[in-house]
């Protein structure tokens, strides 16, 4: 008993030392500290990595156990939130980042009913996973602090409705506690007939208390987003924040994968004569389309050259090989025409002319949202910018040799109709790499979805390199010995 009492005293001291005493939050109090513009954006981006992966899981109809595993993995990478017992961790800093990221994303996703719906669904799922992962003490302390609109049913009322409560919860014993809430607070339990209803009240057993908490979280967030939307016009006057919020609101459409865009992620060097074979075996549809159009027309317009050229650069094509590749591809031009019209831009993209910047390859989000293609353009994302009929024809034409069939098209097109374009691309990757032991739901490893064309190509090339050596390929394309 003395040890137990001492442990409780230590836990109280641990809680009292924290500015943010609870790991779980209803996000009913916005952060009040001063933060830099960089931190404003970073906190939101890190959280968006997690939320976009949750949305991808829903688009792929993953079971909840898989969704939970993937979400926890993403949280550990981007928004870790340790338990109160982890006294060696910077728990206050973690919770401050968590709360800041949430409120910044509220500003980004309150702009339309559709964005609000998707944000609420992803945030409620994240909260649910964290709640289920919390200790009994954390849940209890959180519920005590949350000002939930429920009343604990006393013993006399339990006795009065004992038969009805027993009928609703047949396996409940005499010690089961009940909470009385408005029936509209637990529509899921009412639908499943797992509560006793009386005069507009639902009698919820303690084992189902989480349903009340989840519904309360969702309801409060929906109301908060509507209030934020009304206040947003005043925020639009701040020219520093508007571009950040506009960019964040696109995160659900293409996921978050910008770290794949720099030349630090290049694989082995490739030569100009290798590109055609690589395109047919390893390129995502956007780059395969550009390559096929370049072969057919011996030319690409500006945005097509930019999108494809930066992709090849990060893939490992050196400036010398790039000049050789583009000169060979533009076979209808004389050397003089090529040098005057195109050589400078190729060198510029490698940082050898003009500003001499190391330009990154374009991510899925940039391809989807920027520089929209016209009727005669080849750049963009086929999953978004092709008509349904043209997309299906192109998929079969490009990927039938790798195992994609007409039977796979309905599933892919359902993802496209749901605007989960990068998820559709990931499914194509799984289908075309099934012979290399990539199963449905694996993504590019650990269930991760594709968010960058170079991510697709590198993972595909790594699988081929690993096949003969009996090694395992990680989600980032790295090869490790099994």
């Amino acid at each position: 008993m003395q040890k137990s009492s001492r442990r409780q005293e230590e836990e109280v001291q641990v809680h009292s030392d924290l500015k943010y005493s609870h790991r779980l939050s209803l996000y009913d109090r916005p952060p009040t500290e001063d933060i830099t513009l960089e931190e404003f954006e970073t906190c939101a981006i890190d959280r968006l990595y997690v939320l976009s992966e949750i949305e991808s899981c829903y688009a792929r109809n993953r079971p909840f156990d898989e969704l939970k595993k993937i979400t926890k993995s993403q949280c550990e990478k981007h928004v870790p939130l340790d338990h109160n017992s982890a006294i060696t961790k910077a728990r206050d800093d973690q919770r401050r980042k968590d709360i800041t990221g949430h409120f910044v994303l509220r500003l980004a996703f309150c702009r339309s009913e559709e964005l609000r719906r998707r944000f609420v669904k992803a945030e409620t799922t994240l909260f649910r996973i964290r709640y289920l992962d919390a200790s009994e003490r954390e849940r209890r302390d959180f519920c005590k602090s949350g000002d939930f609109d429920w009343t604990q049913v006393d013993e006399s009322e339990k006795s009065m409705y004992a038969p009805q409560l027993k009928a609703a919860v047949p396996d409940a014993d005499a010690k089961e506690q009940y909470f009385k809430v408005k029936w509209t607070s637990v529509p899921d339990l009412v639908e499943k007939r797992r509560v006793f209803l009386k005069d507009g009240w639902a009698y919820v057993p303690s084992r189902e208390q989480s349903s009340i908490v989840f519904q309360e979280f969702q309801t409060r967030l929906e109301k908060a987003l509507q209030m934020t939307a009304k206040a947003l016009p005043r925020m639009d006057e701040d020219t520093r924040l508007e571009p950040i919020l506009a960019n964040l609101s696109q995160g659900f459409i293409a996921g978050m994968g910008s770290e794949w865009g720099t030349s630090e992620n290049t694989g082995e060097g490739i030569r100009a004569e290798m590109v055609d074979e690589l395109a047919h075996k390893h390129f995502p549809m956007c780059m395969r389309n550009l390559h096929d159009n370049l072969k057919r027309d011996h030319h690409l317009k500006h945005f097509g050259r930019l999108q494809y050229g930066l992709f090849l650069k990060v893939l490992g094509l050196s400036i010398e090989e790039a000049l050789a590749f583009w000169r060979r591809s533009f076979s209808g031009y004389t050397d003089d025409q090529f040098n005057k019209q195109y050589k400078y831009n190729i060198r510029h993209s490698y940082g050898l002319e003009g500003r001499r910047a190391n330009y990154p390859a374009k991510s899925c989000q940039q391809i989807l949202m920027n520089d929209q293609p016209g009727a005669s353009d080849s750049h963009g994302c086929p999953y978004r910018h092709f008509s349904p009929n043209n997309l299906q024809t192109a998929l079969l034409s490009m990927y039938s040799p790798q195992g994609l069939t007409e039977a796979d098209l309905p599933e892919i097109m359902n993802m496209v109709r749901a605007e989960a374009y990068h998820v559709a691309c990931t499914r194509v990757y799984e289908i075309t790499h099934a012979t290399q032991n990539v199963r449905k739901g694996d993504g590019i490893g650990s269930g991760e979805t594709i968010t960058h064309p170079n991510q697709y190509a590198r993972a595909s090339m790594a699988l081929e390199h690993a096949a003969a050596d009996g090694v395992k390929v990680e989600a980032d394309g790295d090869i490790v010995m099994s």
Side-chain angles (χ1 to χ4, degrees), residues 10-11 15 57 76 84 133 150 185 210 237 246 276 313 351 373 407 416 422 449 453 457 475:
E10 290 173 353
E11 288 181 353
H15 281 271
C57 287
E76 288 172 5
N84 279 332
D133 190 49
W150 60 42
S185 299
S210 59
E237 298 173 3
D276 188 58
K313 168 193 166 186
V416 171
H422 63 307
T449 52

Side-chain angles (χ1 to χ4, degrees), residues 381-446:
C381 172
Y383 297 99
R384 183 179 190 187
H385 298 123
F386 279 19
S387 69
N389 287 338
N390 287 346
L391 175 59
Q392 294 179 80
T393 301
L395 280 167
L396 291 173
S397 173
M398 293 179 188
Y399 295 111
S400 288
Q402 293 172 269
L404 188 140
T405 68
E406 287 192 25
D408 298 312
L409 295 180
E411 180 185 13
I412 296 168
M413 297 308 296
N414 282 339
M415 295 173 179
V416 171
R417 282 189 284 272
E419 298 184 352
Y421 307 112
H422 63 307
V423 180
C425 185
T426 304
R427 183 66 190 120
V428 170
Y429 175 88
E430 292 170 346
I431 293 168
T432 55
H433 293 80
T435 57
Q436 295 161 298
N437 297 319
V438 176
R439 299 165 300 177
K440 183 176 182 179
D442 283 352
I444 57 167
S446 304

Side-chain angles (χ1 to χ4, degrees), residues 1-12 137:
M1 291 296 292
Q2 290 179 346
K3 287 184 179 180
S4 177
S5 177
R6 189 181 300 115
R7 188 180 298 112
Q8 289 178 355
E9 291 177 3
E10 290 173 353
E11 288 181 353
V12 170
R137 180 185 177 87

Side-chain angles (χ1 to χ4, degrees), residues 51-70:
L51 299 186
S52 63
E53 199 62 47
I54 289 174
E55 175 144 297
S56 295
C57 287
Y58 278 119
R60 294 165 69 87
N61 295 315
R62 292 189 185 277
F64 182 73
D65 286 344
E66 284 187 25
L67 186 155
K68 182 179 177 182
K69 180 180 178 181
I70 291 170

Side-chain angles (χ1 to χ4, degrees), residues 343-360:
K343 186 175 181 178
Y344 177 89
N345 285 337
I346 296 169
R347 288 176 53 81
H348 188 279
S349 67
Y350 277 76
L352 300 175
E353 303 288 355
R355 294 170 51 204
R356 298 185 182 274
N358 182 22
Y359 293 98

Side-chain angles (χ1 to χ4, degrees), residues 144-403:
K144 287 180 180 177
S145 68
D147 190 26
F148 292 99
D149 188 18
W150 60 42
T151 304
Q152 187 164 343
V153 178
D154 57 30
E155 290 300 323
S156 61
E157 197 169 5
K158 277 176 61 177
S159 300
M160 184 186 307
Y161 298 119
Q164 293 90 334
L165 295 174
K166 185 66 175 176
V169 192
D171 59 340
D173 56 29
K175 296 181 180 179
E176 183 79 58
Q177 292 185 334
Y178 291 86
F179 297 90
K180 189 164 63 173
V181 298
K182 294 179 181 178
W183 72 270
T184 53
S185 299
V186 284
D188 56 329
L189 298 180
V190 173
E191 181 184 9
K192 297 173 184 176
R193 299 187 178 185
R194 290 161 66 175
V195 290
F196 164 56
L197 298 179
K198 177 68 176 179
D199 296 332
W201 295 96
Y203 289 71
V204 182
S206 56
R207 69 182 70 181
E208 302 287 0
Q209 188 179 25
S210 59
S211 291
I212 311 175
V213 177
F214 301 153
Q215 186 64 37
E216 184 72 13
F217 179 90
Q218 179 175 326
T219 301
R220 292 192 188 190
L221 181 54
E222 288 170 346
K223 292 179 180 178
L225 282 169
Q226 291 171 359
M227 292 176 62
T228 306
K230 293 178 181 178
L232 191 64
R234 295 197 298 271
M235 294 288 298
D236 289 343
E237 298 173 3
D238 193 326
T239 57
R240 301 170 304 165
L241 300 183
E242 174 58 26
I244 295 175
L245 297 176
N247 184 59
L248 290 170
S249 66
Q250 300 171 3
F252 278 156
I253 295 178
M256 304 294 292
S258 59
E259 73 266 25
W260 282 92
T262 60
S263 58
E264 283 76 19
N265 286 315
T266 54
E268 299 177 3
I270 60 175
R271 300 185 303 278
E273 61 268 21
M274 297 168 57
V275 174
D276 188 58
E277 181 182 357
L278 292 173
H280 287 82
K281 294 170 66 176
H282 303 298
F283 285 10
M285 195 177 189
C286 54
M287 300 305 165
R288 176 69 185 274
N289 178 60
L290 285 166
H291 182 80
D292 290 350
N293 278 275
L294 178 60
K295 282 185 65 178
R296 184 193 67 204
D297 301 332
H298 306 289
H299 183 265
L300 283 177
K301 296 176 74 172
H302 171 72
F303 287 117
R305 296 196 305 274
L306 185 64
Q307 181 175 320
Y308 194 36
L310 291 174
F311 166 81
L312 291 174
K313 168 193 166 186
V314 172
L315 197 65
L317 195 69
S318 68
I319 179 59
E320 294 80 10
E321 294 295 330
L323 288 169
F325 169 77
W326 287 106
R327 179 66 193 96
R328 186 181 305 161
S329 299
F330 280 52
S331 58
Y333 294 79
T334 66
D335 287 341
D336 187 56
Q337 288 174 321
F338 179 81
N339 290 336
K340 286 182 178 179
Q341 297 179 42
Y342 304 109
K343 186 175 181 178
Y344 177 89
N345 285 337
I346 296 169
R347 288 176 53 81
H348 188 279
S349 67
Y350 277 76
L352 300 175
E353 303 288 355
R355 294 170 51 204
R356 298 185 182 274
N358 182 22
Y359 293 98
K362 292 183 178 295
S363 68
C364 292
Q365 185 180 103
Q366 291 170 315
I367 292 170
L368 282 163
M369 305 307 299
N370 301 338
D371 306 320
Q372 298 299 294
S376 60
D377 289 318
S378 304
H379 67 281
C381 172
Y383 297 99
R384 183 179 190 187
H385 298 123
F386 279 19
S387 69
N389 287 338
N390 287 346
L391 175 59
Q392 294 179 80
T393 301
L395 280 167
L396 291 173
S397 173
M398 293 179 188
Y399 295 111
S400 288
Q402 293 172 269

